[in-house]
């Protein structure tokens, strides 16, 4: 078990990769928010329902709420249902896993996604692990390197073992 923990920590994605992941995902979230806002404006013009007007013209607090909700929803849905990956993680070859090397639980992904809303979460990466990693017991790993090391460990462990007939 200790070996797996070491493999996870050793293969963590670099801060530059994490920055790239954040940058790409934030751009995607802005595009999605813009599209949703445009659709709501269009629907308001057709239906005159106040809900559609309110979505994109609800004021500062509403914008803060809906922005954080969409931010949470994006990360939760992507990481929970796409095997620990967001669009940026597919691009950079990274993945979210538990600190013990297993697939994160839905609860871990929920905590991870909620932690991102905490102000200055992005600055928490100036330490060892960011808050949304630490609070959810997850890590973002370089998938290619991690899988290669797991394979090598498996091959080393199987050396010398004979099949009993």
């Amino acid at each position: 078990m200790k070996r797996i923990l070491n493999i996870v920590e050793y293969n963590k994605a670099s801060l530059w990769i994490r920055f790239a992941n954040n940058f790409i995902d934030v751009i995607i979230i802005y595009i999605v928010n813009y599209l949703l806002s445009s659709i709501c404006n269009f629907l308001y013009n057709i239906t005159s329902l106040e809900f559609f007007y309110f979505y994109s013209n609800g004021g500062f607090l509403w914008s803060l709420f809906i922005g954080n909700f969409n931010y949470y929803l994006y990360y939760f849905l992507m990481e929970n249902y796409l095997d620990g990956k967001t669009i940026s993680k597919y691009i950079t070859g990274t993945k979210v896993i538990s600190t013990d090397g297993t697939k994160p639980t839905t609860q871990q992904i929920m905590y991870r996604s909620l932690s991102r809303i905490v102000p200055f979460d992005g600055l928490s990466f100036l330490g060892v692990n960011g808050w949304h990693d630490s609070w959810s017991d997850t890590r973002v790993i370089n998938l290619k390197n991690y899988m290669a090391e797991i394979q090598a460990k498996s091959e080393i462990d199987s050396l010398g073992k004979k099949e009993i007939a």
Side-chain angles (χ1 to χ4, degrees), residues 16-30:
W16 287 110
I17 294 294
R18 299 296 301 272
F19 178 77
N21 285 346
N22 184 55
F23 182 77
I24 294 167
D25 284 333
V26 165
I27 296 291
I28 291 167
I29 292 169
Y30 278 128

Side-chain angles (χ1 to χ4, degrees), residues 110-160:
M110 184 180 70
Y111 290 160
R112 181 178 170 79
S113 300
L114 282 172
S115 299
R116 292 175 185 276
I117 298 172
V118 174
F120 306 110
D121 174 62
L123 295 177
S124 69
F125 281 93
L126 298 175
V128 176
N129 293 307
W131 292 336
H132 64 264
D133 285 342
S134 298
W135 294 343
S136 63
D137 292 324
T138 58
R139 298 291 182 266
V140 175
I141 51 142
N142 179 312
L143 189 56
K144 183 179 171 186
N145 294 348
Y146 177 78
M147 294 308 291
E149 194 161 340
I150 290 291
Q151 178 67 29
K153 179 194 168 300
S154 174
E155 289 172 2
I156 289 171
D157 288 346
S158 69
L159 282 176

Side-chain angles (χ1 to χ4, degrees), residues 36-59 62-63 66:
L36 287 173
S37 187
S38 296
I39 290 168
C40 284
N41 281 332
F42 175 75
L43 290 174
Y44 173 71
N45 289 332
I46 292 173
T47 65
S48 296
L49 291 173
E50 292 296 321
F51 170 78
F52 295 120
Y53 178 81
F54 192 67
Y55 181 87
S56 54
N57 300 299
W62 175 253
S63 296
I66 201 67

Side-chain angles (χ1 to χ4, degrees), residues 77-91:
L77 292 175
M78 289 285 210
E79 291 180 345
N80 197 48
Y81 296 108
L82 294 179
D83 196 31
K85 296 181 181 183
T86 60
I87 293 170
S88 66
K89 288 179 181 70
Y90 277 104
I91 293 169

Side-chain angles (χ1 to χ4, degrees), residues 14 31 33-35 50 57 64 67 69 72 75 98 114 132 135 137 140:
S14 71
I31 291 169
N33 281 336
Y34 177 78
L35 291 174
E50 292 296 321
N57 300 299
L64 189 63
F69 179 76
Y72 167 81
Y75 281 105
S98 292
L114 282 172
H132 64 264
W135 294 343
D137 292 324
V140 175

